[in-house]
Amino acid sequence: MSILSGKNILLGVTAGIAAYKTASLVRLFIKAGADVKVVMTPASKDFVTPLTLATLSKNPVHYSFTNEEEDNGVWNNHVELGLWADYFIVAPATANTMSKMANGVCDNLLLATYLSAKCPVYFAPAMDLDMYKHPSSLASFKKLESYNNIIIPATSGELASGLIGEGRMAEPEEIVSFLENDILNTLPLRNKKVMLTAGPTYEAIDPVRFIGNHSSGKMGFELAKAAANLGAEVILITGPTHQKVAHSSIQVVPVISAQDMYDAAHQYFKNMDIAILSAAVADYKPKNVATQKIKKKDTTLTLELEKTKDILASLGQIKEKQFLVGFALETNNELENAKGKLKKKNLNLIVLNSLNDKGAGFKKETNKVTLIDVKENITEYALKSKAEVAIDIFNQIIKQIHA
Ligand code: CTP
């Protein structure tokens, strides 16, 4: 899966002959799973039609400050468009537009959108070879780079003028892979390996029965997705759940019992940089598992239970470089209990869930957490979706790793 999947890509088209190639570029972005919107300079419509790009991007294309079709004075909101984008790619980027952007000129919708965008901005210049080498173009590139914008270098080849040299816009495929590589290289968890445990464990009573719990696994799966989106290679060890994930950087290791989870966690832990144990592991399991289905005979049945191994504590004992995170689900004396677990299990960070908070805990779409680090710094978060909580947790981990 491409790193661009699910991302909002704003394509800015300016008036160069290479604009005809933006039809392919939009298709490649869509194929990568991105949502695409296009903003054009008025002159670029001579090279490619808004209808073509609107059809391919499945979104209306704008090129003026007011609604183009109905001419009814309805404003095309450049601020909204700029804030919507995760990435803004200006392709082709003409000398004229780049010079205007470098100097804050804002006399069309695309230029205004550029000034409103907070996301990374990429330029794929396209111009004749002498224009590309001109000191004023080089000055524009430099100035744009000083604003942290990124130039996708033009390539050499035959130009619209018939001359041969540097100035050809990078091919659409090259633009897409440039963008993918650049994003991957700037992700905060690139080259990091993250292990997660998720979901419940089932402890067999006999061949058809087990002791389990209501954990949905949702929090662990959201953590896995967040880690992968931040560039990590992820091992997701999960008990039985209905959660699904499809991401090339996430390897799912399905397990059933606490012992299976223990074995898998110990198999992978050595090579990990970060481990987050969010599974609701059974604390006890039947001491003897019946090999045949237990028949109902007496009015009562007594099961003898024995403790499972504490996976988190066992990893705390052997950890070296790993950043180890545990969860604590508490109903009373929450902060003190969580701090106690952090120390006892030798963790770097603990995520406290209080069952007293509405909207937190098992089988919910939301969660409310408090993070406690080894220095006992306490950060309390608002009630959020589990996907957002996962990002909060990783932001805190990244901050601590780089501290
Ligand atoms: N955990 C684990 N293995 C177990 C039990 C728990 O890895 N056998 C992990 C959980 O994944 C979680 C953390 O330990 O990250 C806290 O679990 P919790 O059940 O809240 O704490 P316990 O230490 O088991 O204490 P208690 O049940 O008494 O509150």
Side-chain angles (χ1 to χ4, degrees):
M1 195 172 70
S2 166
I3 189 78
L4 299 177
S5 173
K7 295 287 186 305
N8 292 339
I9 295 188
L10 181 61
L11 177 64
V13 180
T14 74
I17 180 65
Y20 81 91
K21 294 186 180 173
T22 56
S24 309
L25 187 55
V26 170
R27 285 206 54 190
L28 290 175
F29 284 144
I30 296 276
K31 229 171 114 185
D35 286 325
V36 183
K37 289 187 181 177
V38 180
V39 57
M40 302 175 77
T41 59
S44 71
K45 291 185 293 151
D46 291 337
F47 297 92
V48 61
T49 73
L51 181 63
T52 305
L53 298 179
T55 309
L56 292 171
S57 67
K58 305 181 181 96
N59 274 311
V61 169
H62 296 300
Y63 47 85
S64 101
F65 283 106
T66 50
N67 188 296
E68 294 86 358
E69 268 168 30
E70 292 161 27
D71 199 19
N72 57 5
V74 173
W75 186 46
N76 286 327
N77 190 334
H78 59 89
V79 179
E80 224 167 63
L81 207 52
L83 295 181
W84 171 86
D86 293 317
Y87 302 101
F88 187 9
I89 293 93
V90 184
T94 58
N96 182 42
T97 289
M98 292 179 86
S99 161
K100 285 179 166 184
M101 285 178 168
N103 292 292
V105 178
C106 182
D107 60 2
N108 66 41
L109 181 70
L110 190 148
L111 295 170
T113 307
Y114 168 72
L115 288 179
S116 305
K118 288 187 178 166
C119 62
V121 184
Y122 293 79
F123 289 93
M127 54 197 81
D128 206 54
L129 74 168
D130 293 317
M131 293 169 80
Y132 193 62
K133 280 194 299 215
H134 195 279
S136 89
S137 301
L138 298 180
S140 297
F141 299 165
K142 227 174 159 180
K143 217 163 172 185
L144 291 167
E145 280 175 332
S146 77
Y147 307 152
N148 287 328
N149 298 158
I150 301 135
I151 309 285
I152 304 174
T155 59
S156 261
E158 195 179 334
L159 302 162
S161 60
L163 297 172
I164 295 176
E166 220 176 354
R168 246 164 81 134
M169 185 179 83
E171 291 301 323
E173 290 80 3
E174 291 167 338
I175 293 176
V176 173
S177 55
F178 183 100
L179 197 63
E180 287 174 332
N181 286 334
D182 196 66
I183 295 168
L184 280 172
N185 285 334
T186 54
L187 289 177
L189 293 182
R190 75 192 174 283
N191 302 328
K192 294 268 185 258
K193 292 192 166 61
V194 175
M195 182 181 91
L196 295 150
T197 65
T201 62
Y202 287 178
E203 308 305 324
I205 297 170
D206 68 14
V208 293
R209 302 182 181 93
F210 61 83
I211 297 173
N213 62 63
H214 287 299
S215 167
S216 64
K218 175 112 180 128
M219 192 65 242
F221 275 67
E222 290 300 347
L223 282 164
K225 284 183 228 164
N229 287 336
L230 290 166
E233 285 296 318
V234 181
I235 302 285
L236 172 59
I237 303 169
T238 175
T241 93
H242 295 297
Q243 303 294 327
K244 296 234 174 331
V245 69
H247 195 299
S248 57
S249 302
I250 302 178
Q251 184 189 338
V252 179
V253 180
V255 295
I256 309 277
S257 68
Q259 183 63 46
D260 297 342
M261 193 173 269
Y262 178 95
D263 293 341
H266 278 265
Q267 181 189 333
Y268 292 104
F269 185 66
K270 262 196 238 71
N271 296 322
M272 294 295 131
D273 299 292
I274 298 166
I276 309 178
L277 276 65
S278 68
V281 186
D283 286 327
Y284 290 90
K285 62 177 181 179
K287 192 164 180 194
N288 300 304
V289 182
T291 51
Q292 307 284 333
K293 187 179 168 214
I294 300 171
K295 289 283 179 199
K296 52 179 174 304
K297 286 185 290 201
D298 305 325
T299 40
T300 60
L301 173 72
T302 304
L303 285 175
E304 191 180 354
L305 303 178
E306 65 178 5
K307 258 197 172 158
T308 55
K309 290 180 195 152
D310 189 321
I311 306 166
L312 183 59
S314 69
L315 297 181
Q317 278 170 15
I318 60 166
K319 88 169 182 189
E320 292 167 350
K321 54 162 190 176
Q322 294 91 345
F323 192 95
L324 185 60
V325 184
F327 273 67
L329 183 64
E330 306 291 343
T331 52
N332 59 307
N333 216 3
E334 293 100 330
L335 281 177
E336 285 320 304
N337 284 344
K339 282 184 201 166
K341 278 180 194 172
L342 179 86
K343 274 212 185 78
K344 198 172 111 203
K345 299 195 188 190
N346 193 23
L347 312 180
N348 299 87
L349 188 74
I350 194 152
V351 183
L352 166 64
N353 279 138
S354 169
L355 271 190
N356 296 326
D357 287 322
K358 272 200 189 115
F362 279 12
K363 286 204 159 171
K364 299 258 169 53
E365 289 302 310
T366 52
N367 205 354
K368 184 173 184 329
V369 299
T370 302
L371 302 186
I372 308 169
D373 67 16
V374 277
K375 291 186 185 141
E376 301 205 344
N377 293 315
I378 297 170
T379 318
E380 243 183 273
Y381 294 85
L383 182 73
K384 296 180 181 189
S385 73
K386 287 187 173 171
E388 290 170 308
V389 171
I391 291 165
D392 285 340
I393 292 172
F394 274 110
N395 281 340
Q396 185 67 240
I397 294 172
I398 290 162
K399 209 164 99 187
Q400 302 237 349
I401 286 177
H402 293 298

